[in-house]
Amino acid sequence: MARGKALPFIAFENNKFEVQDEAMDYLRSLKGKFSILCIAGPYRSGKSFLENRLLGIGKNKGFGVGSTVNAMTKGLWIFTDPIPATDAAGNTFPVIVMDTEGLGDAFGANETHDTRIFALGLLISSFFIYNSVGTIDEQSISTLKLVTELSKNIRVHADENSDNSPDALGKFFPSFMWLVRDFNLDLVDEAGIPMTADQYFENALMERSNPDGSEPSDALKEKNRTRHSLRSYFPNRSCAVLPPPCTDPT
């Protein structure tokens, strides 16, 4: 039995983003409440593979999974076979999985394009997962510096003088989860005491300073600005870690 198909939802054509008719016709056909789960992250980080696993389908039947240096997904795509979910009242509703163009494609899009893709995913989704590989370190924080530019692409109100701060925009953004793939470190603090993935995330979001108390460099200031933006934009945030495949979690 057919399990649905991936549809381009918002494509970047003629130097602008355009909503695709087939995807809109599908969304209009849905009756009642539904949610959208968006997964974003650096290109070649396994987003589409993860989405296909969530959907329970193979790579040739869901979102495209590529093996070249070029990003596979362009724009934003949705899959027409939702995942069933249940709310607090026990009501079942469909969750649409949405794939986004990989961020940081060295052979394609620029930083402004990445920021707009990220912003569209945030505005459309009910739950937003940022997928990365390895650890939450200075490099991965730096990769998310595009969040500092979100206020330039989103307005809460049409009035140009309206409050467009991260705290104001954060009231409208979905829940945010940072999913760290191929994580093979022990989750313990500096004293060796076990901590949760959420605590690990919060520690990573703490602003950094130089050990000798000297003035932080411009690069460190930029990373701290990114940390502040993440805390402000996503008051409802969490973290999950997944070990490398074929690793015994015990």
Side-chain angles (χ1 to χ4, degrees), residues 184-198:
N184 57 9
L185 302 177
D186 294 329
L187 278 174
V188 296
D189 63 17
E190 294 181 352
I193 299 174
M195 62 180 175
T196 65
D198 286 347

Side-chain angles (χ1 to χ4, degrees), residues 3-24:
R3 284 288 313 274
K5 62 179 180 178
L7 293 178
F9 179 26
I10 300 179
F12 188 70
E13 299 175 347
N14 303 317
N15 206 33
K16 62 180 180 179
F17 290 99
E18 297 182 344
V19 177
Q20 304 302 291
D21 292 338
E22 187 176 2
M24 283 303 302

Side-chain angles (χ1 to χ4, degrees), residues 172-194:
F172 297 91
F173 284 168
S175 297
F176 177 96
M177 173 184 282
W178 191 323
L179 176 63
V180 186
R181 307 265 295 278
D182 296 351
F183 186 84
N184 57 9
L185 302 177
D186 294 329
L187 278 174
V188 296
D189 63 17
E190 294 181 352
I193 299 174

Side-chain angles (χ1 to χ4, degrees), residues 208-217 220:
R208 300 296 192 260
S209 59
N210 292 324
D212 60 3
S214 60
E215 180 71 17
S217 65
L220 182 56

Side-chain angles (χ1 to χ4, degrees), residues 121-152:
L122 286 174
L123 292 174
I124 295 170
S125 62
S126 314
F127 195 90
F128 189 94
I129 295 177
Y130 180 73
N131 176 81
S132 69
V133 177
T135 61
I136 302 179
D137 55 14
E138 289 299 318
Q139 180 59 44
S140 59
I141 291 288
S142 179
T143 301
L144 264 178
K145 66 180 181 179
L146 59 85
V147 300
T148 63
E149 302 296 317
L150 288 176
S151 62
K152 297 179 181 179

Side-chain angles (χ1 to χ4, degrees), residues 9 13 27 44 52 73 89 91-92 123 127 154 158 196 212 243 246:
F9 179 26
E13 299 175 347
L27 293 175
R44 287 291 169 266
N52 291 339
T73 302
N91 301 310
T92 300
L123 292 174
F127 195 90
I154 302 173
T196 65
D212 60 3
C246 302

Side-chain angles (χ1 to χ4, degrees), residues 40-87:
Y43 91 111
R44 287 291 169 266
S45 62
K47 294 185 295 82
S48 299
F49 174 79
L50 173 64
E51 289 153 352
N52 291 339
R53 291 300 299 269
L54 288 173
L55 292 164
I57 52 181
K59 69 177 183 179
N60 295 322
K61 299 178 181 179
F63 293 109
V65 178
S67 58
T68 72
V69 296
N70 300 296
M72 187 71 179
T73 302
K74 298 295 184 181
L76 289 81
W77 289 59
I78 59 173
F79 196 75
T80 61
D81 187 28
I83 301 172
T86 304
D87 62 20

